[in-house]
Amino acid sequence: MFIELDLQSETPIYTQLVDQIVEGIASGVLQPGDPLPSIRSLAEDLGINLHTVNKAYNLLKQEGLLQVHRKKGVIVQPDGMPGVTEAFEEKLRRQLRSLAAAAAVRGMAEEVFAQESRAVYREMIANRGRG
Amino acid sequence: MFIELDLQSETPIYTQLVDQIVEGIASGVLQPGDPLPSIRSLAEDLGINLHTVNKAYNLLKQEGLLQVHRKKGVIVQPDGMPGVTEAFEEKLRRQLRSLAAAAAVRGMAEEVFAQESRAVYREMIANRGRG
Amino acid sequence: MFIELDLQSETPIYTQLVDQIVEGIASGVLQPGDPLPSIRSLAEDLGINLHTVNKAYNLLKQEGLLQVHRKKGVIVQPDGMPGVTEAFEEKLRRQLRSLAAAAAVRGMAEEVFAQESRAVYREMIANRGRG
Amino acid sequence: MFIELDLQSETPIYTQLVDQIVEGIASGVLQPGDPLPSIRSLAEDLGINLHTVNKAYNLLKQEGLLQVHRKKGVIVQPDGMPGVTEAFEEKLRRQLRSLAAAAAVRGMAEEVFAQESRAVYREMIANRGRG
DNA sequence: GTGGTCTAGACCACC
DNA sequence: GTGGTCTAGACCACA
């Protein structure tokens, strides 16, 4: 698996899991319809609790990024990803505002901040052309 | 006071406080040397406990954004803000990556994401240049 | 536990706690990776409030001497201790200067003061090499 | 006056005052019998409260480093400084132990620590040959 | 009056 | 059970 956890981090493990799976989808490592490891096997691989994996999968399911089938197991949403909703935009802006403020206070210029954002995005989708 | 809290939010109150003060400094509402309300008075104004305010103030003091003058009160760092350190850049990128992934997955294009970042930054510092 | 507090002392309890834990690490009683008592149990053992223990643990975490594993508990930094930074040297010198002045005023000779320092250091690490 | 205060420091102003005067005596800048500024004038010079200066002077008087006369004002103890008492040694060792532990934990060797102590002492009395 | 410290007791997220 | 957060209320050192 491509997932790396930092057990000493302040961010909860399930959050890290969610983030990494989302990044996996964004980067194309995980394609629509692709299967994800079963809760049990992923938990075992990562050495964490079943509940933790379950919580992450459930959150992603609620967001519409995953589908959970009784038999097929867990797969990446094949029927089209959720779009950019009003709620999402609002949440995104709120978080960007916090980051922008911290950057501005430390003297990082608007242009640099924007470039940083662009670079991070670009880097993330850089490897999309895989199988 | 210009601070608005969402007591129902899942983000800790002291975090909201920290964010809002940083935004206050970034936007110029709070200028270097400006006094902040005393711990007790701010706590009372916001209807929260003084320890919560104290925690927020202390975090900002650690980051070098505030100074705590013994017995005089709390003021915005007058001796130059902290710069863009390696650690800060890393933290910024990590958080941007998470946001970028969520945006990319929902089909928000690179250009839109970058523009969004720029817009948020610009909006934040738009009102600088007051008294 | 090896910790002894003087509740009557004018030095804050959390400071005494910090000092004793640092001495514990320096002397080898606490080895990298060793677990520390949970906040609550230590607080109970010492007959103090859990917030006081929490404050001490957090300070040591900031300094990089402890790691707080979410829900697993607190352990002594296993990934290498922080080194001698510029800031640390400065702080050390400032405090030594105060001690040296008091000693010099009372007629304690340079050699005696230096020997005293060396002796204290040596005594502290004398029992290393257990377990 | 040779006294410099850091109003943002965590150490109380009166403590800083005490330290600086002790260092003044140790370094020979202040000789036995030398007059110190009156409480009022020193407070004014430093821009601090009368009580603060008074407290510092009183502490130093109790330690036997100063004499306070109704008419002569405040002078550096002319009748011999206090010696190295048992109590002083104990206090010195306790504080050295704390410093030594912090140094040892960060990997500063015994020799370096001892040298550091010696150097600080020496530097302090380096200018003793004044008028 | 200000921040610093401490206590007692509570709820929650996490695992 | 663990740490994280929050509240309520208290005393103290400092200026």
Side-chain angles (χ1 to χ4, degrees), chain C residues 35-49:
Chain C
L36 271 73
S38 78
I39 292 180
R40 280 168 179 76
S41 67
L42 183 54
E44 197 172 353
D45 275 13
L46 299 175
I48 59 178
N49 191 279

Side-chain angles (χ1 to χ4, degrees), chain B residues 9-130:
Chain B
S9 166
E10 60 173 3
T11 66
I13 296 178
Y14 78 87
T15 303
Q16 296 182 47
L17 257 179
V18 165
D19 279 350
Q20 301 231 3
I21 292 173
V22 173
E23 291 180 27
I25 299 175
S27 69
V29 171
L30 291 171
Q31 302 271 342
D34 277 2
L36 270 73
S38 78
I39 292 181
R40 280 169 178 77
S41 67
L42 182 54
E44 196 172 354
D45 276 13
L46 299 174
I48 60 179
N49 192 279
L50 87 174
H51 288 116
T52 309
V53 177
N54 189 37
K55 183 165 187 174
Y57 276 5
N58 263 320
L59 282 172
L60 289 165
K61 172 187 161 194
Q62 280 179 233
E63 288 190 30
L65 299 185
L66 295 185
Q67 268 188 7
V68 179
H69 271 72
R70 59 180 45 267
K71 322 312 163 193
K72 280 188 190 168
V74 182
I75 63 171
V76 178
Q77 176 70 50
D79 304 334
M81 290 292 164
V84 177
T85 64
E86 190 95 9
F88 176 74
E89 281 235 329
E90 196 172 334
K91 187 175 147 209
L92 176 64
R93 284 220 189 81
R94 185 157 29 83
Q95 298 191 66
L96 277 177
R97 200 174 309 130
S98 173
L99 296 184
V105 156
R106 281 170 182 76
M108 181 181 279
E110 173 188 321
E111 193 52 43
V112 178
F113 182 71
Q115 280 302 337
E116 199 82 62
S117 301
R118 186 191 303 273
V120 165
Y121 184 111
R122 187 171 298 175
E123 189 181 315
M124 163 151 304
I125 64 170
N127 299 325
R128 279 189 185 174
R130 60 137 206 179

